[in-house]
Amino acid sequence: MKVEPSARDLLEIARATLVAEIAPALPEAQRYGALMAANALAIAGRDLAAPDGGAAETARLAALLPGWSPAGDGQEILREGTARLAARIRAGAFDEGPDREALLAHLRETVRARLATSNPRALARGEGTAR
Amino acid sequence: MNARTGAPDPRARAEAFLCGACGATRVAIERWERLSGGAIQENMALDALVEGGPFAGKQAWVLRTNAASAVAVSRSRAEEFEILRVAHGAGVRVPEPLFLCRDGAGADFFVMRRVPGVAAGHRLSKDDSLVPDRAALARELGANLARLHRVRPPLAALAFLGDPPADHARAAIAAYRDDLDRLSAVRGEAWPALEWGLAWCERNAPAPRTPRLLHRDYRTGNYLVDEGHLAAVLDWEFAGWGDAREDLGWMLARCWRFARPDREAGGVGSAQDFLAGYLDAGGEAVSADDTRYWQAMAHLRWAVIALQQAERHRSGSQRSLELALTAHIVPELEQEILDLTAGTS
């Protein structure tokens, strides 16, 4: 048995302690560094908690890449599919028509998942907000 | 003289240099204090007492030099000094550049007048007491940029900037793709959302305009506001020739609005006031499509730079929490690129 509390819990309490107790006691120049460290702990915690969307993302990539048959759904396969998609976009394969809409739906989904870890506050902003 | 290395003490070296440069009989540096610096440059605040010559009296200066840890330097201090001189001569609000030291006894440095004011983006966007009249500041930012954009190539003093790109937008797209390819090769990642943005920008590239002198990092955080007004634009190391609309899109990009994403001009004012100030001071008009296009380009450029910064950390060449976190800005930039480009072909 591993010792509890777990990595996630430790990251969360370390982050909360930095923000609530340590940062306010620091001079301004060091406070910024402490808040950056707190942000890094928050990202790490969300990364650990994130659902593994690798299989679903690989399936979406396969649907966008005719002729590509992923052998499994591991990280390496996901990297390969992502690289293929990037190259196809650059070649202009998704410039118009239904392929374009399918690509944008995939990109939205992927960016949402990336934001859920990196910056969930930006997620809350939603799509197509006024600027 | 440092006995161990034989290098002159930087402060004594600066005093000796400034004495000659000011035509003074004596220069005593009474305050010598490091200001917040970047990874590439180091800024020292100097209070100097000058005896004799045209600068006699108390002087408040900033000395700018390369940081000890300087990596690939974008522009040399001598080049930055020339850019500042040209901008100052064009009526752009900058710290007045005074003296350039290339005595070979250490890293080159230059000295400029110290300008009071606040640069911090989170403060300028949040605190109305620092900016009581936001319309006025936005107009000043626009007018100041229009004065810079009056400078056109060729200019002998700025020959080191090279030739302007014939088509800035397409040249930038090609450069960002090369950058992504290099990052991809070492990281084993790819960025489909950025590729989408670049393909969109390629399809929608505007007809090129006559090249102008650009700041290329004209945004909140890089200028000083004093008593509510624009006091000086800082950080000229990215300046170069190009399409003036790039500077406008950079200032209006959502990624530089700090605490106030609803204020389009750098979180401090409205796009309407910023662009009105630009037009009134002789800047060339931009359409809504232009603005959207160069906002998308701004996010693409910042995304590429953010990935490069994160790579400096990941590769071990410069381990830093701030650089590491920069990678996590990229998804937000990707979302913004999709928002800007999804509605149109």
Side-chain angles (χ1 to χ4, degrees):
Chain A
M1 285 287 285
K2 283 196 195 178
V3 178
E4 294 284 334
S6 67
R8 276 183 61 189
D9 191 5
L10 289 172
L11 286 168
E12 174 48 29
I13 191 65
R15 187 201 64 82
T17 306
L18 260 177
V19 170
E21 295 172 28
I22 300 174
L26 293 172
E28 193 173 333
Q30 280 76 42
R31 199 179 312 145
Y32 181 61
L35 293 176
M36 279 201 301
N39 188 28
L41 295 177
I43 293 172
R46 291 193 297 265
D47 195 11
L48 284 176
D52 180 9
E57 191 176 343
T58 301
R60 293 202 309 272
L61 285 168
L64 289 166
L65 294 166
W68 183 60
S69 316
D73 56 14
Q75 277 298 309
E76 281 313 304
I77 298 291
L78 191 53
R79 280 173 191 271
E80 184 197 318
T82 304
R84 279 173 183 259
L85 181 67
R88 298 288 295 146
I89 296 168
R90 192 182 292 191
F94 297 95
D95 284 359
E96 53 192 17
D99 288 352
R100 175 184 183 280
E101 295 315 310
L103 172 71
L104 284 170
H106 164 71
L107 295 177
R108 285 281 183 204
E109 193 66 34
T110 312
V111 169
R112 258 198 296 274
R114 285 154 68 79
L115 275 175
T117 294
S118 294
N119 185 358
R121 268 193 302 186
L123 260 187
R125 207 179 88 204
E127 293 166 21
T129 44
R131 60 182 45 77
Chain B
M1 189 74 76
N2 181 318
R4 205 155 53 82
T5 62
D9 166 49
R11 186 169 174 162
R13 176 185 170 217
E15 283 178 338
F17 164 75
L18 286 166
C19 188
C22 297
T25 51
R26 183 167 172 269
V27 170
I29 294 175
E30 298 177 330
R31 173 178 169 221
W32 174 267
E33 189 179 316
R34 186 163 181 229
L35 297 169
S36 60
I40 301 171
Q41 290 82 30
E42 191 170 89
N43 295 311
M44 310 290 301
L46 265 60
D47 287 340
L49 187 60
V50 179
E51 291 172 19
F55 289 87
K58 277 191 181 289
Q59 298 289 347
W61 289 330
V62 169
L63 183 154
R64 190 159 157 93
T65 188
N66 292 336
S69 64
V71 281
V73 177
S74 42
R75 293 260 167 248
S76 72
R77 289 317 111 232
E79 290 168 349
E80 200 181 352
F81 184 74
E82 282 304 326
I83 293 166
L84 266 178
R85 286 230 291 217
V86 168
H88 186 253
V92 180
R93 284 182 203 169
V94 294
E96 185 188 350
L98 297 172
F99 316 110
L100 170 67
C101 176
R102 309 179 73 178
D103 63 7
D108 290 350
F109 66 82
F110 66 81
V111 171
M112 52 194 175
R113 278 195 208 284
R114 193 161 78 237
V115 178
V118 174
H122 64 278
R123 294 183 62 196
L124 293 174
S125 55
K126 255 189 219 161
D127 187 346
D128 287 339
S129 71
L130 292 172
V131 190
D133 186 346
R134 296 196 169 270
L137 179 63
R139 291 184 74 96
E140 287 167 11
L141 285 165
N144 197 58
L145 194 55
R147 287 193 290 274
L148 175 68
H149 289 168
R150 284 182 207 156
V151 181
R152 290 161 62 158
L155 205 64
L158 302 183
F160 57 84
L161 291 178
D163 293 329
D167 185 331
H168 182 139
R170 287 187 171 82
I173 291 163
Y176 303 157
R177 283 175 171 159
D178 287 348
D179 291 335
L180 289 179
D181 287 346
R182 273 190 291 272
L183 287 159
S184 205
V186 292
R187 294 177 67 110
E189 285 178 65
W191 296 275
L194 302 183
E195 291 290 348
W196 161 262
L198 288 167
W200 183 90
C201 283
E202 188 173 43
R203 288 198 297 282
N204 291 281
R209 285 188 173 177
T210 315
R212 312 284 177 158
L213 184 58
L214 311 190
H215 181 279
R216 303 202 79 204
D217 201 7
Y218 195 83
R219 62 163 176 92
T220 302
N222 281 343
Y223 56 82
L224 291 165
V225 171
D226 187 40
E227 299 188 351
H229 293 282
L230 175 63
V233 179
L234 311 171
D235 291 329
W236 289 79
E237 71 246 32
F238 297 109
W241 304 119
D243 191 313
R245 291 170 290 186
E246 186 192 68
D247 273 348
L248 296 169
W250 195 252
M251 176 59 94
L252 294 172
R254 186 172 186 130
C255 51
W256 299 124
R257 296 181 194 162
F258 296 88
R260 289 299 296 264
D262 56 317
R263 291 194 189 120
E264 294 159 295
V268 300
S270 74
Q272 201 182 356
D273 288 322
F274 171 67
L275 292 172
Y278 185 75
L279 280 184
D280 287 353
E284 203 172 343
V286 290
S287 67
D289 282 349
D290 283 338
T291 303
R292 169 179 292 258
Y293 182 86
W294 291 97
Q295 284 175 320
M297 286 285 274
H299 287 94
L300 286 162
R301 178 164 174 245
W302 179 207
V304 169
I305 295 171
L307 289 170
Q308 289 171 331
Q309 293 189 351
E311 181 56 21
R312 298 216 312 265
H313 166 81
R314 200 198 60 93
S315 69
S317 75
Q318 192 185 352
R319 299 283 295 171
S320 144
L321 176 56
E322 185 164 25
L323 293 179
L325 285 171
T326 313
H328 289 276
I329 296 173
V330 174
E332 192 178 359
L333 301 174
E334 291 175 334
Q335 172 172 261
E336 187 62 17
I337 288 162
L338 293 178
D339 284 350
L340 285 164
T341 60
T344 54
S345 61

